[in-house]
Amino acid sequence: MPNNPYIPKAVEIIDITAQSEVDYTYRLAVDLDVDNGQFVEVSIPKIGECPISVSDFGDDYIDLTIRHVGKVTNQIAHLTVGDKLGIRGPYGNGFPMEEYQGKDLVISAGGTGLAPVKSIINYFYRNPKAVNSLTLLLGFKNPANILFSDEIAKWKAADHINVILTVDEGDQAWDGNVGLITGFVDQVDFSNLDNMEVIIVGPPIMMKFTSLEFMKYDIQEKQIWVSFERKMSCGIGKCGHCKMDDTYICLEGPVFNYTKAKELVD
């Protein structure tokens, strides 16, 4: 009898880390062949299913950073270490890591957009000689919404990583940058344009205007990569929920080169 692609596998939660009041990272004991930027479908019986980007992974685990803002994710909030989640996937096309080797790589992430690229950052953190340089341009709504604070501190301490962190709205305790992420693109080193690649992930409006801002500095469209957050229901190109024009995001994406992404319209 052929395998049913819609049937999830029950996997154990082995760790839960709070990132903010509503964002938590769940480490699941599962061995999956994951590419950076792919997603899985997460389910709870009788509740529902939702797509979640893989924020990191190893030989025997994956990390999912989940915001508790919906029917399924609010139910996940009640789970503890030792409980199980339904998982199927991974799905979609990830980031083309071979394109970034030896390059001056810039990763610009807004809010929860940091989750899909965290595994890329950690790869180049562990393998500093794989890139010529790595610049992180990270933006959050406010200090309370900053994700992966411990890892951001680790990246800041690395000699080969330049971290530019900003929040839209500061508070009395915040002494860092304040302002939209687009206002800090000018702090990126553009002295080696031909050797640059740029990854931009975040809300659609952030990706649009951040891409345009980079292009003001003569970054070409083919040098920009984005990832779409969509309601991928089936994950295998059958239901059409994630379709934009004639493109199934779950199959051809969620990662696209900007030359293709600019043509996708809701």
Side-chain angles (χ1 to χ4, degrees):
M1 183 177 180
N3 292 329
N4 187 330
Y6 294 104
I7 295 179
K9 177 181 180 180
V11 298
E12 183 180 355
I13 300 170
I14 56 176
D15 187 61
I16 302 174
T17 302
Q19 304 292 346
S20 73
E21 288 187 355
V22 294
D23 299 285
Y24 290 78
T25 297
Y26 294 81
R27 177 159 292 187
L28 307 179
V30 61
D31 181 13
L32 292 180
D33 185 13
V34 182
D35 290 332
N36 298 281
Q38 287 188 302
F39 69 95
V40 295
E41 290 285 347
V42 179
S43 60
I44 297 179
K46 300 182 180 181
I47 301 298
E49 188 175 53
C50 63
I52 303 291
S53 296
V54 177
S55 57
D56 218 336
F57 55 90
D59 291 338
D60 55 2
Y61 73 89
I62 63 170
D63 286 347
L64 305 178
T65 300
I66 298 174
R67 172 162 286 187
H68 299 152
V69 291
K71 182 177 70 172
V72 178
T73 56
N74 281 336
Q75 192 66 31
I76 292 173
H78 297 293
L79 302 180
T80 60
V81 171
D83 289 334
K84 292 187 176 182
L85 277 173
I87 295 290
R88 59 184 180 90
Y91 298 118
N93 288 314
F95 290 93
M97 297 292 285
E98 68 281 357
E99 294 284 343
Y100 312 137
Q101 302 292 319
K103 298 294 183 66
D104 293 297
L105 179 62
V106 181
I107 298 178
S108 182
T112 56
L114 181 54
V117 296
K118 187 169 80 74
S119 62
I120 302 177
I121 299 171
N122 279 332
Y123 174 82
F124 289 119
Y125 171 81
R126 296 189 301 268
N127 299 275
K129 294 182 179 180
V131 284
N132 189 51
S133 68
L134 178 58
T135 299
L136 307 180
L137 181 54
L138 311 177
F140 297 92
K141 183 177 181 181
N142 54 52
N145 286 107
I146 294 176
L147 305 182
F148 313 118
S149 295
D150 291 345
E151 293 196 83
I152 291 175
K154 177 185 72 175
W155 301 332
K156 283 184 175 180
D159 292 337
H160 68 295
I161 302 179
N162 176 30
V163 178
I164 305 167
L165 176 64
T166 183
V167 296
D168 297 346
E169 306 166 357
D171 57 31
Q172 292 181 344
W174 178 254
D175 61 356
N177 296 317
V178 177
L180 297 178
I181 199 169
T182 49
F184 295 88
V185 172
D186 62 359
Q187 293 189 15
V188 173
D189 182 0
F190 292 99
S191 61
N192 197 10
L193 277 173
D194 292 339
N195 196 51
M196 294 185 72
E197 296 287 337
V198 179
I199 296 171
I200 301 173
V201 184
I205 194 74
M206 172 266 178
M207 292 195 294
K208 175 183 177 180
F209 285 103
T210 305
S211 297
L212 293 173
E213 194 67 28
F214 271 97
M215 285 188 280
K216 289 180 182 179
Y217 293 87
D218 294 326
I219 291 292
Q220 302 299 303
E221 292 179 350
K222 66 182 181 180
Q223 294 173 280
I224 299 175
W225 305 84
V226 300
S227 179
F228 285 104
E229 293 184 358
R230 302 285 292 178
K231 177 59 176 174
M232 273 80 83
S233 292
C234 72
I236 56 176
K238 300 299 183 183
C239 71
H241 280 86
C242 70
K243 193 176 180 183
M244 297 176 73
D245 296 332
D246 294 325
T247 300
Y248 289 88
I249 304 303
C250 67
L251 294 180
E252 298 184 44
V255 176
F256 292 93
N257 187 265
Y258 190 82
T259 55
K260 170 69 173 179
K262 69 176 183 179
E263 300 173 354
L264 299 176
V265 180
D266 271 321

